[in-house]
Amino acid sequence: MHKHVEWDDPGADSVMRHFQQDNSGHSEPGPGDILSARHEGAVVRVKVEAYVDGTSIGDVAAIIAVDNGRRLKSHGKLALGDTVRLPDACRALEPILGDPDDRDQDG
């Protein structure tokens, strides 16, 4: 049984919005694909097991804190290994993780 998740709105990072502008390279997710979404501010990666009617079904493979890039075992009621449903509309592009001041800068 899957765990019900209220995914964050991907906003400008929407995968579907991105592919509306450029459909090249877009295909339906399949078994083994890793998709990203946002849940309560964290990045959640889902390993797809099945794809049905615009929704991927799979297990949580990673939970990542956006502010520092740290890997988490759980976040809120979501934990690694939970089986979830991820609608296409909730898929999000990966953000740049961590504090921008910690990154190397040219010059």
Side-chain angles (χ1 to χ4, degrees):
M1 190 63 152
H2 69 276
K3 180 174 271 191
H4 179 75
V5 176
E6 292 291 333
W7 299 106
D8 296 350
D9 182 342
D13 293 330
S14 169
V15 169
M16 299 314 288
R17 183 182 300 168
H18 171 79
F19 283 116
Q20 282 179 337
Q21 297 170 7
D22 180 8
N23 201 18
S24 64
H26 181 261
S27 62
E28 290 183 354
D33 289 346
I34 304 290
L35 306 178
S36 295
R38 310 280 168 75
H39 175 62
E40 297 180 358
V43 173
V44 177
R45 293 182 182 157
V46 176
K47 185 173 183 180
V48 177
E49 294 177 8
Y51 183 76
V52 180
D53 297 328
T55 299
S56 297
I57 302 165
D59 294 335
V60 174
I63 303 171
I64 306 166
V66 175
D67 58 349
N68 60 17
R70 193 180 78 202
R71 301 278 180 134
L72 308 171
K73 292 183 181 182
S74 64
H75 183 70
K77 295 181 181 180
L78 193 61
L80 290 177
D82 284 345
T83 301
V84 296
R85 298 174 65 87
L86 175 57
D88 284 346
C90 296
R91 291 172 50 196
L93 300 171
E94 290 270 339
I96 296 173
L97 299 174
D99 184 348
D101 294 332
D102 290 342
R103 287 188 226 112
D104 291 335
Q105 296 180 3
D106 292 335

